[in-house]
Amino acid sequence: MATADLREELTCPICLSIYTDPVNLSCGHNFCLGCIKSVLGTQEGSGVYSCPECRKGFSNRPELKRNIALCNVMTHLQITQPEQKDTGVFCTYCVHSPVPAAKSCLLCEASLCDTHLRVHSKSEEHVLTEPTTSWGNRKCSKHKELLKYYCTEDAACICVSCNLAGEHRGHQVELLNEASEKKKKKLRNVLQKLSTNREKTEKRVQSLQEHRRGVQEKAAGVTERLTALIRDIRKQLEDLEKRVLSDITQQQEQVLLPISDLIQQLEKEKDELTRKMSHIEELCNMTDPLTVLQEQESHRDDFCGAEKGDNEVTQRGDKQVPAGGDLDEDLISVTLYRGLADIVTDVKRDIYMQVTSDILLDINTAANDVIVSGDLKTASWSDINQQRPGTPVRFTLAPQVLSTRSFSSGRHYWEVQISKSGDWRVGVCYTSMGRGGDQSVIGENNKSWCLYSDYNKGLYMIHNTINTLLHPPLSCDTVGILLDYKAGCLTFYELCDPIRHLHTVTVTFTEPLHAAFNIWDDGACVRILR
């Protein structure tokens, strides 16, 4: 950084600022190029030119020579000296050209550059601040004195008169610098908290962005996979269509071939009969008795043949066109069914889902106020005791029943139709869940998870007595349940149009799971659809 003496040597005597593009006159004095041009321009009308520094006269406009050495010093100074902050406030006393102010004096209400600041009064009443043009808020609006104190009781900046004789007399006051430092300390604490909160927010944003990217990538992958699957299904359906249509065509040919042959034979016989009929008609139209009688013997065989031909035609038709000679629609239906079943099997394998269609209710677990249908698919509530024998696995308090099979691996899906009246719960539970007491109700312990609807038709997800309200409530009477044992996911869907995701439970399953059903009050029932 340049010293004060060096800065003085590098100051233009006209603008009192650091040289800009320095030039010199023949007398040896240096000036800013713009400054000396402006001065010489004002002297041009008088015909006499002089140096603004030493007053040496020139008969002609003096030649301006660029000071190379001084330019190099200025370039070096600009590199090593930090750039002065441009506050937009200029020195009050630099009248020839605007020079950025370094400080402002509150007493003088003037702004000063570095050069004028060196000659400014250093007394205490001349308070220096950062460059400003706002003088009004620096003085007391009532006493027109500088604000020097801070009243802590009224949170106001005051002057000496306000403190000694004004409305703030006797109040606790502090010097502005002291009050400012205290406020800065509080602000730094706030800043630290805000910084911490911002870091947390940034991490949250990053986490959400990563999650968004993950969802987008997963959606793209699922879209690609399902597009390929549907494209394959479409191709298989097209192949199945071709196969079924080919079978229909083949059956049609097999059925029509003997019919066509028979028609051809009968057409020939029809032509022969027509010829004979024409000849006989000619005989009938003859007037000569002798000719008619002489032809009688030769046509006796034709008369007999006609009667015999009728029998042969009937027998041939019965033999070559069997009764029921038609398309075998049942065979076509079987072919179509088998083809569709193969396609569905491929789809199940491609989506990695085992559709569990053999879920049955275990009557040995059913409470005595639960009626189980003969096909073991429906459970309904009854106020009549069913008088079933006691078993270790039978529920004694809760109106519940479990499935016969359990799940300890794989992906499983089943659908349940629920009643519009009464309370119901559908879900899963561990085999080890209790069978008696309040904690035997599914959802009311840490061994079961269920979807629940009450009298008011509110919809909840319940686990270990913790209820999660789901909104909106069900709009249809069918619920789909998807269990991915290995992934630890239990998901409930409402099977309306479109299908709506209700809730997903994520947990690490540690025991085999059973499908569980709870019904309560008159009219309450559930039915396993598939």
Side-chain angles (χ1 to χ4, degrees):
M1 181 181 291
T3 62
D5 293 337
L6 178 59
R7 291 182 64 86
E8 187 173 355
E9 291 295 330
L10 299 177
T11 300
C12 173
I14 297 176
C15 66
L16 300 179
S17 298
I18 300 297
Y19 286 118
T20 301
D21 197 6
V23 295
N24 58 20
L25 301 178
S26 59
C27 60
H29 291 110
N30 299 291
F31 306 94
C32 294
L33 177 61
C35 294
I36 190 60
K37 278 186 175 182
S38 178
V39 172
L40 294 178
T42 60
Q43 297 175 354
E44 189 171 359
S46 63
V48 179
Y49 300 94
S50 62
C51 172
E53 186 74 10
C54 65
R55 304 301 178 185
K56 178 182 178 180
F58 303 95
S59 57
N60 297 317
R61 185 178 178 115
E63 181 182 359
L64 302 177
K65 295 183 179 180
R66 192 164 184 264
N67 193 327
I68 304 299
L70 193 56
C71 285
N72 292 336
V73 173
M74 294 303 303
T75 302
H76 178 72
L77 180 64
Q78 291 175 358
I79 295 175
T80 58
Q81 178 176 283
E83 183 178 355
Q84 185 174 7
K85 183 178 179 182
D86 184 7
T87 61
V89 180
F90 299 97
C91 178
T92 306
Y93 304 107
C94 292
V95 295
H96 294 289
S97 61
V99 179
K103 294 289 183 179
S104 291
C105 177
L106 300 181
L107 181 63
C108 302
E109 294 189 0
S111 299
L112 306 99
C113 63
D114 287 332
T115 302
H116 290 103
L117 186 61
R118 288 196 295 272
V119 296
H120 186 71
S121 174
K122 303 297 189 294
S123 59
E124 292 183 359
E125 61 269 19
H126 289 272
V127 180
L128 298 177
T129 66
E130 294 301 317
T132 182
T133 56
S134 302
W135 311 107
N137 59 1
R138 298 284 180 171
K139 290 186 177 182
C140 176
S141 59
K142 184 176 182 179
H143 302 105
K144 306 303 179 182
E145 297 179 6
L146 289 176
L147 300 174
K148 290 188 175 182
Y149 300 100
Y150 179 76
C151 177
T152 58
E153 295 184 19
D154 298 328
C157 296
I158 62 175
C159 66
V160 175
S161 298
C162 291
N163 183 33
L164 296 178
E167 57 185 14
H168 298 277
R169 183 175 59 181
H171 291 185
Q172 181 69 32
V173 297
E174 297 176 346
L175 292 174
L176 291 181
N177 288 340
E178 294 177 357
S180 175
E181 289 302 320
K182 289 182 179 180
K183 185 172 182 179
K184 287 180 180 180
K185 185 177 180 181
K186 293 180 180 179
L187 291 175
R188 291 188 186 97
N189 293 334
V190 174
L191 182 62
Q192 181 63 35
K193 294 179 180 179
L194 292 177
S195 178
T196 301
N197 291 338
R198 186 179 67 178
E199 291 178 1
K200 292 180 179 179
T201 303
E202 288 178 352
K203 291 180 179 179
R204 178 61 177 161
V205 170
Q206 292 177 357
S207 175
L208 290 175
Q209 289 175 340
E210 292 176 359
H211 181 66
R212 180 175 63 184
R213 285 194 296 270
V215 170
Q216 291 172 340
E217 292 173 358
K218 185 175 182 180
V222 172
T223 300
E224 182 179 0
R225 182 165 61 88
L226 291 185
T227 300
L229 176 61
I230 293 174
R231 185 167 54 247
D232 183 61
I233 293 173
R234 188 179 296 114
K235 184 179 182 303
Q236 291 187 62
L237 285 173
E238 291 174 354
D239 294 342
L240 178 60
E241 180 186 17
K242 292 177 181 178
R243 187 164 72 250
V244 172
L245 294 179
S246 176
D247 289 348
I248 294 174
T249 301
Q250 186 176 0
Q251 281 196 44
Q252 174 183 283
E253 292 175 353
Q254 292 176 352
V255 172
L256 294 181
L257 182 59
I259 295 177
S260 299
D261 292 342
L262 181 58
I263 290 175
Q264 186 176 4
Q265 294 175 14
L266 292 177
E267 287 290 346
K268 291 180 180 180
E269 293 182 3
K270 184 183 74 172
D271 293 341
E272 179 66 20
L273 292 173
T274 301
R275 185 189 61 80
K276 292 179 178 181
M277 288 174 61
S278 297
H279 183 67
I280 292 173
E281 287 178 353
E282 290 177 0
L283 292 176
C284 290
N285 293 329
M286 288 183 179
T287 58
D288 184 6
L290 182 61
T291 304
V292 174
L293 292 174
Q294 287 177 347
E295 291 290 333
Q296 180 179 2
E297 295 297 327
S298 61
H299 287 282
R300 183 176 299 169
D301 293 337
D302 292 339
F303 299 146
C304 296
E307 295 179 358
K308 180 180 180 181
D310 291 341
N311 294 332
E312 288 180 353
V313 169
T314 303
Q315 292 174 0
R316 187 183 300 112
D318 292 342
K319 181 178 181 181
Q320 296 186 7
V321 185
D326 202 349
L327 295 180
D328 189 346
E329 292 189 40
D330 291 338
L331 178 60
I332 295 172
S333 298
V334 170
T335 302
L336 182 61
Y337 175 80
R338 290 290 302 276
L340 292 174
D342 290 342
I343 293 175
V344 172
T345 300
D346 291 341
V347 171
K348 293 177 183 177
R349 182 177 63 252
D350 289 337
I351 64 177
Y352 307 106
M353 182 185 294
Q354 179 182 349
V355 179
T356 306
S357 59
D358 59 343
I359 292 183
L360 300 175
L361 299 177
D362 185 359
I363 198 168
N364 291 321
T365 64
N368 281 322
D369 49 2
V370 174
I371 298 176
V372 178
S373 62
D375 62 356
L376 303 180
K377 290 288 187 178
T378 302
S380 55
W381 184 83
S382 173
D383 57 357
I384 301 175
N385 193 308
Q386 301 301 303
Q387 301 289 330
R388 297 190 182 99
T391 65
V393 294
R394 188 178 306 284
F395 289 100
T396 59
L397 177 65
Q400 294 178 165
V401 61
L402 303 183
S403 62
T404 55
R405 66 169 298 174
S406 62
F407 314 104
S408 57
S409 63
R411 288 164 58 91
H412 306 273
Y413 174 79
W414 62 96
E415 297 176 358
V416 181
Q417 185 177 35
I418 45 87
S419 60
K420 295 182 180 180
S421 60
D423 288 4
W424 53 263
R425 300 187 183 202
V426 294
V428 296
C429 70
Y430 288 146
T431 306
S432 62
M433 187 181 72
R435 297 298 194 265
D438 293 339
Q439 289 193 347
S440 65
V441 180
I442 57 174
E444 304 297 331
N445 51 68
N446 61 359
K447 295 187 176 184
S448 59
W449 300 260
C450 73
L451 194 69
Y452 164 58
S453 179
D454 59 11
Y455 292 98
N456 299 320
K457 301 306 176 186
L459 190 64
Y460 305 88
M461 180 68 205
I462 305 181
H463 170 66
N464 203 19
T465 71
I466 299 175
N467 295 358
T468 301
L469 177 64
L470 305 181
H471 188 78
L474 293 180
S475 59
C476 67
D477 62 353
T478 308
V479 173
I481 303 173
L482 176 61
L483 170 65
D484 189 334
Y485 190 94
K486 183 177 180 181
C489 290
L490 175 66
T491 305
F492 296 89
Y493 299 95
E494 180 186 17
L495 302 183
C496 52
D497 187 15
I499 296 175
R500 178 167 69 104
H501 172 264
L502 296 175
H503 192 77
T504 296
V505 175
T506 302
V507 65
T508 300
F509 296 120
T510 58
E511 299 180 32
L513 292 166
H514 287 266
F517 309 89
N518 178 295
I519 56 269
W520 175 257
D521 203 8
D522 190 28
C525 70
V526 294
R527 177 167 180 78
I528 303 170
L529 298 179
R530 53 170 148 175

